[in-house]
Amino acid sequence: MSTTPFQLDAEALYQDLVQQIKAGLQGATELALVGIHSGGAWLAERLAAELGLAARLGFVDVSFYRDDFSEKGLRADVKPSQIPFDVEGATILLIDDVLYTGRTTRAAINELFDYGRPARVLLAALVDRGGRELPITADFLATTVSLSKQENLQLQRADDGRFSLTVVHA
């Protein structure tokens, strides 16, 4: 497996996403953020700090909810999901780093409903790489890129919290 630095400025993309979210969620009631481990969780942590929503921040690891679990197996870095607020009736902003097939998003929504029935679920993603297998679209999206099936886009977080994007070749 080899990696290549990607031409996208992840920090600039993050700032664009934040501006879209701030404009699009003005007046939203019972707003809560849920990041999908791991890249979406990093984005959600930083966004919650900027929006003053640390008490309404949760995380999901969808490993056990994926419909392709038997094919992919279990990752070594599975983290427990944490939803420390009442999901019932909330407006949930689900956050992921890279939107691809839609299977991760579907799994995250299934898991959210195990915690209660939100009034609304919105999706924010830093990058949409195409290749959808399910009819899922982000409500807030910084950019779209085209990658081959042999390439994966990975968000990385430096020790200082700054984001970068890397293409990983399988």
Side-chain angles (χ1 to χ4, degrees), residues 5 12-14 16 18 29 31 36 38 43-44 48 58 65 69 76 79-80 89 92 94 111 136 139 144 150 157 170:
L13 293 174
Y14 172 77
D16 181 47
V18 168
T29 58
L31 180 61
I36 301 173
S38 63
L43 294 166
Y65 285 80
F69 176 78
K79 305 227 185 302
I92 305 289
L94 187 61
E111 184 168 356
I136 292 175
D139 299 283
T144 302
Q150 293 74 37
R157 181 175 64 172

Side-chain angles (χ1 to χ4, degrees), residues 70-89:
S70 62
E71 296 168 25
K72 288 190 163 211
L74 190 59
R75 296 184 341 260
D77 62 341
V78 173
K79 305 227 185 302
S81 294
Q82 301 170 355
I83 307 286
F85 53 84
D86 190 6
V87 168
E88 194 72 31

Side-chain angles (χ1 to χ4, degrees), residues 11-138:
E11 282 297 316
L13 293 174
Y14 172 77
Q15 291 305 320
D16 181 47
L17 188 63
V18 168
Q19 294 310 310
Q20 288 180 44
I21 290 168
K22 285 180 178 179
L25 292 178
Q26 281 186 333
T29 58
E30 299 293 319
L31 180 61
L33 307 179
V34 175
I36 301 173
H37 278 296
S38 63
W42 297 336
L43 294 166
E45 284 174 330
R46 194 158 145 190
L47 183 59
E50 287 190 42
L51 298 177
L53 288 170
R56 306 273 299 164
L57 172 63
F59 306 103
V60 292
D61 186 320
V62 301
S63 298
F64 296 110
Y65 285 80
R66 291 189 61 97
D67 62 358
D68 56 0
F69 176 78
S70 62
E71 296 168 25
K72 288 190 163 211
L74 190 59
R75 296 184 341 260
D77 62 341
V78 173
K79 305 227 185 302
S81 294
Q82 301 170 355
I83 307 286
F85 53 84
D86 190 6
V87 168
E88 194 72 31
T91 297
I92 305 289
L93 179 59
L94 187 61
I95 304 167
D96 203 0
D97 52 353
V98 179
L99 182 56
Y100 183 28
T101 64
R103 294 184 181 287
T104 298
T105 303
R106 185 210 48 84
I109 291 168
N110 284 352
E111 184 168 356
L112 276 176
F113 274 79
D114 281 353
Y115 287 87
R117 187 177 190 278
R120 186 174 186 196
V121 178
L122 301 165
L123 177 62
L126 195 61
V127 179
D128 182 341
R129 60 156 296 164
R132 208 79 69 249
E133 296 174 2
L134 299 173
I136 292 175
T137 302

